[in-house]
């Protein structure tokens, strides 16, 4: 056992004598005997109920003699007093549980005729039911030295260190050997100032003060690691910052958790003295302690663990399979996507495909192909773009919602931070924390260009490479990105080309599988329908609790169903579907090539490349996954192609110069405006677009005609835009 926490913590509440009289207390030898009996006789069946089928912990010790997972609820079920003592004073009773487990192993080995000494044993505690405070914000001073259970997200993990459990000292004068026990957690050891060996014979101490030196080779150590646990985003109250806490893990728990993992930590709520605890005047700081959690059990959440699969009951699986066999399943699922939003049927299909996702593939050479789908919503304000993002963030099992203006490259990917000891460690950003989930980025156009470039790798290769401060590593970022953006002018301007309205680089646009141009259509009939729908939503909000409960059940069912589909179904293209898809892709490429060569406009703002072919494959797989089908059929490919044409291809075809026919008077007026523009900008000169337009408007010219003339001059190559189209540069 290598002395786990051999330096026991004694806790006394001197200010309130008798306050804890109602809490049972067991002597150490009696508690260890009860622990031994618990490990030997506790029985359970395959469903976890107490019965005579399986000796749960006795069999577990036979299979693995180095670690043992113990459910705190089982201890309470076996002996309520023993469970209460373990929860109330874990630093005192947990070593007794480990000692009982070691004793049980030794007795079992003697019965089997084995003389091999057992290795170091570590007991992990977990609980099948929540106990004590359920979040960091509920931790109080009364919980110090008690067992607590706290959920959260691990945001960074420090490097592995070696903590001494016993320190061996030697006196420099008389060479007396002395062993000192170290305090558990972050505590150290108290080295004696005087040698007591020389005073045993009644003589005076001749060794002097501070005679001891440490013998590292004869001391005992265990591995230790520091983690940082942060509140889950969905548990943070509105308008407040997420709280964080330091975790200390040791032995078999070291190196098991990476940043971005959702965990539930069980540990001893402890305190320690910081180095800068004293105030500047040297008074009052000694009584201020910093809390941390000395972990004795760490459970990775099912929904946040990329390596373990979620568990489903047989009833759930039967229900999901029956639901997948229903006719018109796609329409049923699309109707569950953001039901409070009127219209936008194609966007609802895209969001549903994003939530279900395609199938990840591992190539023979070891490389991977992403299965996550990225969607961009570009268009006018007040078209429910942000509401789609909110729905996706609420429905996805793992999600992070952020805004482009308030996000930096380090905040989205990862950053290297220096701790108080001067060591560097990695701290994951939004795309690392949302691994196997969805990242929703609102106001995507407001991001700085260098910040958008930082997520290129994360969106396509689904990794984040770090090479800073001597740290070279690669983090996983297997996330779908749902982004919303506005055109540069705030609204989508039909008099501008697609390049002007979609003011994003082609490198980032090619990484989106679906791009939607969302316009605020002005139609009396449509406006009446939208007004009626919005007013009904406000009128019925909270009117009937039964309706709210039904909506919650629908949302929970959709969340569980998409999680089941993502885990249990990994569809692949059939031969005929692949042939149809190849033909459609070649036709799309030929259409774009003819448009560029025929003089109908410049190269499209959204490039059509092999990435778009893979995007259609992923959309087809997500449609098949909704039906729990392992084969992607021709119908799935056709639906995916229709969705691609109504989204990305419409964005490609958008443009102001397409189909314009001018009369002779309009041509003369256009020529006059062009002459005035050239007169005000010399060859090689720069001018602000807004300043030029304002100057021409003041002399009586039409604003729309000025912008159309500028667009024509840029298309002809006489002018070009600079600085994100804020400046105009005359070339000839």
């Amino acid at each position: 056992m290598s002395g786990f926490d051999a330096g026991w913590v004694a806790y006394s509440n001197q200010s309130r004598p008798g306050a804890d009289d109602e809490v049972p207390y067991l002597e150490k030898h009696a508690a260890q005997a009860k622990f031994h009996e618990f490990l030997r006789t506790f029985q359970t069946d395959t469903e976890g109920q107490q019965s005579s089928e399986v000796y749960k912990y006795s069999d577990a010790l036979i299979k693995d003699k180095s670690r043992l997972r113990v459910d705190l609820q089982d201890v309470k079920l076996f002996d309520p007093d023993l469970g209460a003592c373990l929860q109330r004073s874990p630093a005192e009773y947990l070593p007794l549980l480990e000692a009982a487990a070691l004793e049980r192993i030794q007795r079992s080995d003697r019965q089997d005729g084995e003389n091999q000494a057992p290795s170091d044993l570590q007991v992990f505690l977990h609980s099948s039911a929540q106990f004590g405070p359920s979040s960091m914000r509920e931790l109080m001073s009364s919980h110090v030295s008690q067992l607590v259970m706290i959920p959260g997200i691990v945001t960074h993990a420090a490097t592995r260190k070696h903590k001494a459990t016993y320190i061996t000292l030697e006196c420099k004068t008389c060479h007396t050997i002395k062993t000192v026990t170290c305090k558990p957690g972050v505590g150290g050891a108290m080295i004696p100032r005087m040698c007591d060996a020389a005073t045993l014979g009644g003589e005076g101490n001749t060794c002097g003060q501070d005679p001891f030196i440490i013998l590292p080779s004869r001391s005992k150590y265990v591995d230790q690691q520091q983690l940082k646990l942060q509140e889950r985003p969905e548990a943070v109250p509105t308008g407040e910052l997420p709280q964080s806490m330091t975790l200390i893990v040791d032995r078999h728990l070291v190196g098991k958790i990476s940043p971005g993992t959702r965990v539930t930590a069980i540990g001893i709520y402890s305190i320690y003295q910081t180095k800068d605890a004293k105030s500047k005047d040297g008074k009052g700081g000694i009584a201020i302690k910093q809390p941390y959690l000395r972990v004795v059990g760490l459970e990775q959440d099912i929904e946040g663990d990329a390596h373990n699969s979620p568990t489903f009951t047989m009833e759930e699986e039967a229900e999901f399979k029956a639901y997948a066999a229903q006719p018109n399943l796609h329409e049923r699922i699309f109707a569950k996507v953001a039901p409070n939003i009127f219209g936008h049927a194609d966007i609802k299909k895209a969001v549903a495909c994003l939530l279900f996702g395609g199938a990840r593939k591992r190539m023979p050479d070891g490389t991977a192909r992403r299965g996550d789908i990225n969607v961009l919503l570009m268009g006018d304000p007040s078209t429910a773009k942000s509401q789609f993002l909110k729905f996706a963030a609420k429905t996805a099992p793992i999600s992070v919602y952020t805004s482009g203006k308030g996000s930096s490259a380090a905040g989205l990917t990862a950053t290297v931070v220096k701790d108080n000891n001067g060591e560097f460690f990695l701290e994951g950003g939004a795309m690392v924390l949302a691994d196997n989930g969805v990242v929703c980025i609102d106001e995507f156009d407001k991001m700085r260009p260098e910040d958008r470039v930082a997520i290129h790798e994360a969106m396509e290769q689904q990794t984040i490479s770090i090479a800073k401060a001597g740290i070279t590593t690669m983090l996983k970022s297997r996330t779908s990105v749902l982004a919303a953006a506005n055109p540069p002018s705030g609204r989508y301007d039909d008099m501008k080309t697609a390049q002007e309205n979609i003011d994003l680089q082609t490198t980032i646009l090619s990484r989106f599988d679906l791009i939607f141009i969302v316009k605020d259509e002005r139609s009396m009939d449509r406006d009446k329908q939208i007004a009626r729908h919005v007013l009904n939503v406000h009128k019925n909000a909270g009117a009937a609790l039964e309706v709210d409960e039904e909506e919650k059940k629908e949302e929970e069912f959709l969340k569980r169903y998409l999680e089941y589909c993502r885990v249990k179904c990994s569809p692949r293209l059939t031969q005929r579907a692949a042939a149809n898809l190849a033909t459609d892709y070649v036709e799309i490429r030929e259409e774009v090539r003819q448009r560029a060569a025929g003089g109908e406009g410049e190269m499209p703002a959204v490039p059509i490349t092999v990435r778009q072919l893979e995007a259609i494959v992923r959309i087809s797989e997500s449609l098949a996954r909704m039906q729990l089908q392992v084969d992607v059929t021709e119908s799935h490919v056709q639906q995916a192609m229709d969705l691609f044409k109504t989204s990305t291809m419409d964005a490609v075809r958008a443009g102001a110069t397409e189909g314009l026919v001018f009369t002779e008077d309009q041509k003369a007026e256009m020529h006059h405006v062009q002459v005035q523009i050239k007169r005000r900008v010399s060859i090689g000169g720069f001018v602000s677009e807004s300043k030029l337009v304002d100057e021409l408007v003041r002399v009586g010219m039409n604003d729309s005609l000025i912008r159309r003339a500028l667009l024509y001059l840029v298309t002809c190559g006489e002018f070009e835009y600079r600085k994100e189209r804020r400046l105009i540069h005359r070339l000839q």
Side-chain angles (χ1 to χ4, degrees), residues 352-367:
C353 293
L354 177 140
L355 292 174
F356 282 87
R360 294 193 184 113
K361 306 174 186 67
R362 178 69 61 178
M363 299 293 109
D365 59 352
T367 59

Side-chain angles (χ1 to χ4, degrees), residues 487-503:
S489 59
R491 300 186 64 88
Y492 196 88
D493 192 348
D494 292 327
M495 298 308 300
K496 294 183 179 179
T497 61
Q499 290 91 333
E500 291 179 299
N501 283 311
I502 307 176
D503 190 19

Side-chain angles (χ1 to χ4, degrees), residues 59-70:
D59 294 347
L61 286 173
I62 295 175
K63 295 178 181 178
D64 191 348
K65 298 180 180 180
S66 62
R67 64 195 75 186
L68 177 66
R69 294 178 71 251
V70 176

Side-chain angles (χ1 to χ4, degrees), residues 421-707:
N421 299 325
E423 296 184 359
F424 292 96
F425 60 86
L426 278 177
E427 191 164 293
M431 303 196 74
V432 176
L433 299 180
D435 188 28
N436 277 347
V438 178
V439 175
C440 300
I441 306 177
D442 204 356
E443 305 293 343
F444 191 67
D445 57 303
K446 307 302 188 300
M447 292 177 62
R448 295 181 301 175
E450 55 268 25
D451 294 337
R452 282 199 294 265
V453 171
I455 65 175
H456 281 187
E457 179 191 2
M459 290 183 65
E460 187 61 35
Q461 282 73 37
Q462 296 198 314
T463 58
I464 294 174
S465 302
I466 296 293
K468 298 178 182 178
I471 298 177
T472 304
T473 186
M474 186 176 294
L475 301 176
K476 295 180 180 179
S477 176
R478 296 160 295 184
T479 65
S480 298
V481 177
L482 179 59
N486 297 111
S489 59
R491 300 186 64 88
Y492 196 88
D493 192 348
D494 292 327
M495 298 308 300
K496 294 183 179 179
T497 61
Q499 290 91 333
E500 291 179 299
N501 283 311
I502 307 176
D503 190 19
L504 297 173
Q505 294 180 345
T506 56
T507 52
I508 192 73
L509 290 175
S510 65
R511 285 166 166 80
F512 284 103
D513 301 321
L514 295 173
I515 300 175
F516 286 90
I517 303 298
V518 190
K519 298 181 182 179
D520 185 11
E521 299 178 1
R522 294 165 178 82
S523 169
M524 181 175 293
D525 294 337
R526 180 178 173 81
D527 291 344
K528 288 181 179 179
Q529 293 175 348
I530 293 177
R532 190 180 302 113
H533 177 80
V534 172
L535 293 175
N536 286 335
V537 169
H538 282 270
K539 183 176 64 175
N540 298 330
L545 295 177
E546 295 80 4
V547 177
D548 292 343
E549 290 296 329
E550 188 65 27
E551 289 182 357
K552 290 181 181 179
K553 290 181 181 179
E554 290 286 335
E555 293 175 0
E556 188 62 29
F557 177 81
L558 178 61
K559 182 180 294 188
R560 288 289 289 173
Y561 181 70
L562 70 89
E563 192 174 11
Y564 178 80
C565 293
R566 289 175 69 99
V567 172
K568 299 295 183 179
C569 185
S570 182
R572 292 292 186 270
L573 279 171
T574 60
Q575 191 67 29
R576 294 183 61 182
N580 293 349
L581 181 56
T583 303
D584 293 338
Y585 171 71
V586 172
E587 291 177 355
I588 291 176
R589 288 273 295 181
E590 184 63 25
E591 177 189 345
V592 174
R593 188 181 300 111
Q594 290 178 359
R595 289 171 57 84
E600 296 185 11
E602 296 177 325
M603 292 299 293
V606 183
I608 303 300
T609 63
V610 179
R611 283 179 177 168
Q612 277 59 49
L613 175 62
E614 292 183 336
I616 302 173
V617 172
R618 285 188 287 268
I619 298 167
S620 304
E621 292 172 348
S622 67
L623 292 170
R625 177 176 275 179
M626 293 180 194
Q627 297 176 320
L628 289 178
Q629 295 186 8
V630 295
D631 294 328
V632 179
T633 62
E634 297 93 312
S635 63
H636 297 140
V637 171
Q638 187 59 45
Q639 291 183 63
M641 184 59 65
D642 293 341
L643 185 59
F644 182 79
K645 289 180 178 178
T646 57
S647 59
T648 306
M649 288 306 298
D650 281 353
V652 171
R653 299 187 185 102
T657 59
E658 184 177 343
L660 290 180
V661 179
F662 298 103
T663 64
E664 292 297 329
D665 294 339
Q666 288 175 331
K667 289 181 179 179
E669 190 175 1
M670 176 76 73
H671 178 72
H672 176 66
V673 174
Q674 293 175 13
V675 171
Q676 295 298 322
I677 292 175
K678 293 179 180 179
R679 183 176 297 175
R680 285 168 170 78
V681 184
S682 60
I683 297 178
F686 292 84
V687 67
S688 170
E689 182 193 25
S690 58
K691 183 178 180 181
L692 177 62
V693 172
D694 292 342
E695 185 177 346
L696 293 175
V697 168
R698 284 197 297 269
V699 297
M701 295 184 182
N702 182 269
D703 179 272
S704 176
L705 194 60
I706 297 170
R707 296 185 183 277

Side-chain angles (χ1 to χ4, degrees), residues 152-172:
I153 301 177
V154 176
T155 55
H156 85 259
T159 56
R160 180 187 306 233
K161 297 181 180 179
H162 308 295
K163 168 70 184 297
T165 55
Y166 294 99
I167 292 180
T168 302
L169 306 176
E170 181 182 7
C171 180
K172 294 182 291 187

Side-chain angles (χ1 to χ4, degrees), residues 11-25 88 142 146:
Y11 177 78
S12 63
N13 194 344
Q14 300 177 0
S15 62
R16 296 174 58 204
D20 297 334
D21 291 342
E22 70 277 3
V23 178
Y25 178 78
R88 185 71 177 180
S142 58
Q146 296 184 17

